[in-house]
Amino acid sequence: MKFGIILGSTREGRVSPQVGEYVKNLAATQEGHEFEIIDILDYNLPFLGTGTPNQAWNEKIDSLDGYIFITQEYNHGMSGALKNAIDSAREEWFNKAAGIVSYGSGGGIRAAEQLRLVLAEQKVAGVRTNPAFNLFTDFENFSEFKPGEHMAQGVLDMFEELITWAKALKTIR
Ligand SMILES: Cc1cc2nc3c(=O)[nH]c(=O)nc-3n(C[C@H](O)[C@H](O)[C@H](O)COP(=O)(O)O)c2cc1C
């Protein structure tokens, strides 16, 4: 199975690459599966309807069996960049599985729950376990990602659920 770890933030000075790398490093435990970081910034996506759609984005989304969304919380929701990236493809998302890793001052869980609703409309099944990192306790100076070792288990649980559902959903594509 192939999984994309999608960085939800495109903000200058963002911390999301650190969180994405942490998840990718833990994914090395998942033998036989591939995990790659997907940076929305690399695709220079226009706001939906305002420019030429980027075919490379749709092809990348199509090529994956599942996703791990790294979402931060902006004003109690996901970033506009992530919502636009989700809106920018359609059937390419259908019948895939996703895990959500969130962060924010309250673990980013409002953004994570909002993301679930959006993903449901794109026929993406979000697994239950949502590793949620806190800006006060899992980061130093709100900028250096240093989660405690105890946080890794949630990510491993999420991988297990994600891979199981991704396998099941592959049978109906
Ligand atoms: C516009 C904006 C709104 C934010 N709103 C929230 C919020 O509602 N809840 C929260 O926990 N953190 C909020 N934050 C803090 C972000 O979660 C924090 O800056 C985080 O590092 C953003 O992720 P990034 O660095 O990967 O972009 C906000 C940050 C910005 C820039």
Side-chain angles (χ1 to χ4, degrees):
M1 298 272 126
K2 283 188 186 173
F3 298 95
I5 301 170
I6 300 178
L7 305 182
S9 176
T10 52
R11 188 179 69 85
E12 202 174 325
R14 63 197 172 151
V15 302
S16 62
Q18 295 179 55
V19 182
E21 281 301 327
Y22 167 81
V23 169
K24 185 162 187 242
N25 288 339
L26 286 172
T29 56
Q30 308 301 305
E31 277 179 33
H33 303 287
E34 290 173 33
F35 292 80
E36 67 173 292
I37 302 262
I38 298 184
D39 190 345
I40 295 169
L41 253 190
D42 291 340
Y43 292 85
N44 205 16
L45 294 174
F47 273 116
L48 188 65
T50 65
T52 313
N54 186 333
Q55 198 51 34
W57 174 252
N58 295 52
E59 284 168 12
K60 175 55 74 179
I61 297 308
D62 196 38
S63 71
L64 298 162
D65 297 302
Y67 316 96
I68 297 171
F69 289 90
I70 308 294
T71 187
Q72 58 298 309
E73 187 167 291
Y74 289 170
N75 296 319
H76 293 192
M78 76 189 82
S79 72
L82 178 56
K83 178 64 165 58
N84 186 56
I86 294 170
D87 293 342
S88 295
R90 186 63 174 161
E91 285 85 356
E92 295 85 353
W93 293 110
F94 284 6
N95 298 316
K96 310 272 181 74
I100 298 174
V101 173
S102 59
Y103 57 93
S105 56
I109 52 174
R110 289 165 292 217
E113 293 295 294
Q114 184 195 55
L115 179 54
R116 280 182 192 282
L117 295 178
V118 171
L119 292 177
E121 180 56 18
Q122 291 284 45
K123 299 190 186 181
V124 175
V127 302
R128 182 182 72 173
T129 300
N130 163 205
F133 296 94
N134 193 298
L135 286 173
F136 290 94
T137 54
D138 296 309
F139 291 79
E140 263 179 31
N141 300 319
F142 304 105
S143 57
E144 219 176 314
F145 188 46
K146 290 198 171 167
E149 276 177 30
H150 64 287
M151 295 302 287
Q153 189 57 51
V155 181
L156 297 175
D157 291 347
M158 182 268 290
F159 287 146
E160 191 185 337
E161 294 167 22
L162 174 65
I163 291 166
T164 306
W165 280 20
K167 282 182 185 164
L169 285 165
K170 190 165 187 173
T171 64
I172 60 162
R173 284 203 301 280

